[in-house]
């Protein structure tokens, strides 16, 4: 039986603290160290001291995904310990020092119908923490399917995209325990964050399609308990899976409803779904809109066309 502790690490984001997991079975493994933020660094070091282990005991770091609230301190822990950082290939690409998160997504934002001044503002938003970085020489690249061995158990690496490219979950078959990162959360449905398809970067990633098939994977694994990236342990995983499925079905219907008989941009759909979007929420709202519109397009219920470089969506049969 794997022995581990959940460490609550503060973040500067509205999502609240992030869960870092310290697996104390050998080799001692730290999953998602937290954001590169002074309060987080202090909390992480403090929690490790409190457990009588200290930073030096960490022999392996695993990142569920590249988002700054989970990954920012990987470099700090690596530099203190030399521990390698296990990360998916597609997450590692987003952790390169010269990676420009919004620039990579700019073609999708430009065709989204976002008014120019709003786009300008969005591009110039500054994160409160430095961009997370992991260098290839510090990393052990995984693809999913690998097994991480411990003195008293193992964790299977699952590639579970949908919220982020290269998102990983860790599955302990013996105890039917899943470490879910942001894939499954107790109180919220993760955002299907807009990004390029890693295999075909000119296209948007089919985030919702990936996410819904991942939910099916979780359903089949039938975990006893899920330890998420934020919040308390999930003791009723089938209910949370069903709730997330229902949430997306309802949102697909809401998007069809917003479209009605008109041709609308992703931004117009996002603004109808989330009238109070501001700052980075605009990017997340657009992500929601694109994810559901693209999925409806896959299902043959919506079609898309360009007019003057802007992408419009309409219900099939209303053109
Ligand atoms: Zn995330
Ligand atoms: Zn998160």
């Amino acid at each position: 039986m794997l022995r581990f502790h959940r460490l609550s690490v503060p973040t500067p984001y509205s999502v609240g603290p992030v869960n870092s997991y310290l697996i104390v079975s050998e080799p001692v493994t730290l999953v998602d160290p937290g954001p590169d933020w002074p309060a987080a660094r202090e909390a992480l070091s403090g929690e490790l001291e409190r457990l009588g282990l200290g930073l030096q005991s960490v022999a392996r770091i695993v990142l569920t995904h590249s988002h700054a609230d989970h990954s920012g301190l990987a470099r700090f822990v690596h530099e203190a310990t030399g521990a390698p950082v296990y990360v998916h290939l597609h997450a590692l690409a987003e952790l390169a020092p010269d990676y420009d998160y919004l620039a990579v997504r700019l073609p999708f934002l430009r065709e989204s119908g976002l008014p120019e001044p709003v786009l300008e503002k969005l591009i110039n938003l500054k994160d409160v923490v430095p961009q997370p970085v992991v260098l290839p020489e510090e990393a052990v690249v995984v693809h999913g399917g690998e097994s991480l061995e411990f003195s008293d158990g193992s964790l299977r690496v699952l590639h579970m995209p949908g919220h982020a490219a290269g998102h990983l979950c860790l599955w302990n078959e013996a105890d039917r325990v899943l470490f879910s990162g942001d894939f499954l959360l107790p109180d919220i449905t993760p955002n299907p964050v807009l990004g390029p398809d890693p295999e075909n970067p000119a296209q948007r990633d089919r985030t919702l399609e990936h996410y819904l098939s991942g939910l099916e994977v979780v359903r089949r694994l039938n975990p006893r308990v899920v330890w998420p990236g934020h919040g308390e342990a999930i003791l009723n995983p089938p209910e949370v899976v069903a709730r997330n499925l229902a949430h997306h079905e309802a949102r697909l219907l809401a998007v069809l409803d917003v479209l009605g008989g008109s041709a609308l941009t992703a931004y117009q759909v996002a603004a109808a779904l989330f009238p109070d979007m501001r700052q980075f929420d605009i990017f997340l709202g657009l992500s929601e809109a694109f994810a559901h519109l693209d999925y409806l397009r896959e299902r043959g219920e919506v079609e898309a066309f360009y007019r003057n470089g802007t992408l419009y969506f309409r219900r099939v049969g209303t053109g």
Side-chain angles (χ1 to χ4, degrees):
M1 186 151 157
L2 284 185
R3 289 165 298 123
F4 64 90
H5 301 276
R6 177 169 74 102
L7 317 178
S8 185
V9 178
T11 81
Y13 303 111
S14 56
V15 69
V18 67
N19 290 328
S20 179
Y21 292 96
L22 183 74
I23 302 170
V24 293
S25 305
E26 296 282 330
V28 174
T29 298
L30 186 63
V31 180
D32 287 353
D36 187 4
W37 193 47
R41 199 179 292 214
E42 226 170 87
L44 180 70
S45 306
E47 290 271 274
L48 288 167
E49 294 299 335
R50 185 177 62 78
L51 292 166
L53 282 156
L55 201 55
Q56 288 309 319
S57 64
V58 176
R60 181 162 62 185
I61 302 158
V62 183
L63 297 180
T64 59
H65 62 301
S66 66
H67 293 166
D69 51 336
H70 299 253
S71 67
L73 282 178
R75 195 92 202 279
F76 162 72
V77 179
H78 169 82
E79 278 171 359
T81 61
V85 184
Y86 285 63
V87 59
H88 190 277
L89 180 67
H90 298 153
L92 184 61
E94 297 194 345
L95 292 164
D98 59 352
Y99 186 76
D100 188 333
Y101 195 85
L102 283 176
V104 165
R105 287 153 176 82
L106 199 53
F108 308 131
L109 298 176
R110 284 210 189 286
E111 66 185 30
S112 72
L114 200 59
E116 195 60 40
V118 183
L119 176 62
E120 205 55 42
K121 254 193 189 162
L122 185 60
I123 294 170
N124 290 317
L125 279 181
K126 285 265 171 288
D127 203 343
V128 282
V129 297
Q131 174 171 323
V133 170
V134 173
L135 301 177
E137 58 268 31
E138 300 164 348
V140 174
V141 170
V142 296
H143 301 272
E146 295 86 353
S147 187
L148 305 180
E149 299 302 325
F150 293 86
S151 51
D152 45 12
S154 68
L155 285 173
R156 184 145 51 89
V157 176
L158 308 177
H159 181 214
M160 302 281 271
H163 166 66
H167 190 294
L168 303 176
C169 294
L170 303 170
W171 172 239
N172 179 241
E173 175 80 38
D175 298 318
R176 291 190 23 251
V177 167
L178 184 73
F179 295 94
S180 65
D182 278 355
F183 191 87
L184 206 66
L185 298 168
D187 306 316
I188 50 171
T189 309
N191 185 284
V193 180
L194 173 66
D197 178 346
E199 311 291 343
N200 185 4
Q203 306 267 321
R204 282 185 301 280
D205 202 1
R206 299 194 308 276
T207 50
L208 188 55
E209 193 182 321
H210 294 317
Y211 187 71
L212 296 176
S213 27
L215 283 181
E216 184 55 29
V217 171
V218 176
R219 202 184 61 75
R220 279 201 307 265
L221 289 172
N222 191 22
R224 186 176 54 78
V225 54
V226 175
W227 291 94
H230 303 274
E232 302 295 322
I234 299 171
L235 303 173
N236 56 343
E239 269 170 53
V240 176
V241 167
R243 188 195 69 197
N244 285 3
L245 285 170
H247 165 89
H248 286 297
E249 272 308 322
R251 184 147 288 166
L252 288 166
L253 290 177
V255 168
L256 286 173
D257 205 45
V258 166
L259 285 175
S262 320
L264 299 179
T265 65
Y267 178 66
Q268 287 171 320
V269 171
L273 291 174
F274 315 106
D276 300 322
M277 293 189 300
R278 293 181 61 232
Q279 305 213 342
F280 197 68
D281 288 346
I282 295 171
F283 175 72
L284 297 176
L286 271 179
S287 295
E288 286 282 345
F290 267 130
H292 290 82
L293 287 164
D294 285 340
Y295 189 73
L296 287 166
R297 193 148 66 138
E298 294 280 323
R299 285 215 302 213
E301 293 180 51
V302 159
E303 57 195 3
F305 63 94
Y306 282 99
R307 193 189 289 153
N308 302 326
T310 300
L311 189 59
Y312 288 82
F313 296 86
R314 69 179 163 221
R315 295 175 75 156
V316 168
T318 60

